[in-house]
Amino acid sequence: GAVVSQHPSRVICKSGTSVKIECRSLDFQATTMFWYRQFPKKSLMLMATSNEGSKATYEQGVEKDKFLINHASLTLSTLTVTSAHPEDSSFYICSAYRQGRPYEQYFGPGTRLTVT
Amino acid sequence: GENVEQHPSTLSVQEGDSAVIKCTYSDSASNYFPWYKQELGKRPQLIIDIRSNVGEKKDQRIAVTLNKTAKHFSLHITETQPEDSAVYFCAASNAGGTSYGKLTFGQGTILTVHP
């Protein structure tokens, strides 16, 4: 099966600092990756679509200057939460499609961000 | 954009009973409908999916039905077991060819199976 990893799994940071989360497809190439956030007992909300070699497409209401996405290679996308605040505390999950197989998305294990 | 509504929000059943979760979608262009099971703090796990050219799909105790005309699809779990307890999400996307469709998720159903 296809494996997607995320790093770190948990991070605690102070308000005002920036945090980078990595999403890697370990055994396949992913032209497209997605970033979601999930609040406790809530559904997954798509934040942005990350395309290799081009700018990310952000969903309405998501601040692109606050959530910086870079998809520099076919196996790596990064999400940087800039100037984090307590309200950014959430579970961030990435997903990826296998190149040429546009149906099933493979999810990473998620990153629990806590901003103090 | 797509909107997916999921019901019920919570479902409690006795072990061995069946559980049914229903979803409706709004975008007639959606053609892929996966169901995910998520345990606390873990990633969503795909349990079954269906494409729009199929009306029903079954995998052991799990089945999904799709009614394109009414724009709704349902998850059926038979002979439920305590380990089926989790949060279940439906989703919809418009995918195919080289188009990587983004998933729109339902609100989730907390399923509790009592021994």
Side-chain angles (χ1 to χ4, degrees):
Chain A
V3 179
V4 175
S5 70
Q6 270 183 254
H7 179 79
S9 58
R10 289 178 178 271
V11 58
I12 300 173
C13 71
K14 293 189 175 181
S15 191
T17 61
S18 295
V19 173
K20 180 186 283 189
I21 302 169
E22 293 185 348
C23 176
R24 293 181 185 272
S25 55
L26 297 185
D27 53 357
F28 66 99
Q29 293 185 328
T31 307
T32 302
M33 292 183 171
F34 298 92
W35 286 96
Y36 299 85
R37 68 187 296 181
Q38 186 176 31
F39 291 109
K41 299 185 179 181
K42 296 294 184 182
S43 187
L44 284 81
M45 296 300 295
L46 181 66
M47 299 175 66
T49 302
S50 173
N51 297 297
E52 187 267 336
S54 64
K55 290 183 179 180
T57 303
Y58 290 82
E59 294 298 300
Q60 192 172 10
V62 177
E63 298 176 61
K64 59 182 178 182
D65 293 332
K66 180 169 185 61
F67 298 100
L68 301 179
I69 292 172
N70 184 279
H71 194 153
S73 77
L74 285 172
T75 59
L76 174 64
S77 176
T78 60
L79 168 68
T80 301
V81 183
T82 63
S83 187
H85 292 287
E87 55 265 32
D88 298 324
S89 299
S90 189
F91 193 50
Y92 292 86
I93 307 176
C94 69
S95 70
Y97 283 106
R98 296 185 79 128
Q99 197 171 31
R101 296 177 65 172
Y103 286 95
E104 184 176 350
Q105 285 190 27
Y106 299 92
F107 286 86
T111 297
R112 173 75 59 193
L113 171 63
T114 303
V115 185
T116 60
Chain B
E2 175 65 278
N3 182 50
V4 177
E5 296 288 332
Q6 182 173 346
H7 298 281
S9 56
T10 60
L11 180 57
S12 184
V13 299
Q14 288 296 127
E15 183 176 1
D17 288 351
S18 295
V20 180
I21 303 171
K22 298 183 179 182
C23 289
T24 59
Y25 62 99
S26 61
D27 189 351
S28 57
S30 290
N31 59 7
Y32 177 61
F33 307 93
W35 285 88
Y36 295 91
K37 175 183 181 182
Q38 187 181 31
E39 297 177 347
L40 191 63
K42 301 288 182 66
R43 76 185 86 194
Q45 288 182 291
L46 178 70
I47 56 171
I48 196 166
D49 57 9
I50 192 167
R51 300 186 192 182
S52 59
N53 59 347
V54 176
E56 184 173 357
K57 184 177 178 181
K58 189 174 181 180
D59 182 4
Q60 299 183 344
R61 297 187 295 110
I62 296 173
V64 57
T65 59
L66 171 65
N67 183 326
K68 285 191 300 182
T69 303
K71 295 198 190 74
H72 66 69
F73 56 113
S74 300
L75 175 71
H76 304 253
I77 306 174
T78 59
E79 300 173 28
T80 54
Q81 301 166 3
E83 49 266 38
D84 293 329
S85 298
V87 182
Y88 291 80
F89 292 100
C90 64
S93 76
N94 178 8
T98 56
S99 172
Y100 294 88
K102 59 184 182 181
L103 286 171
T104 300
F105 283 84
Q107 294 86 349
T109 297
I110 302 172
L111 173 64
T112 304
V113 181
H114 298 281

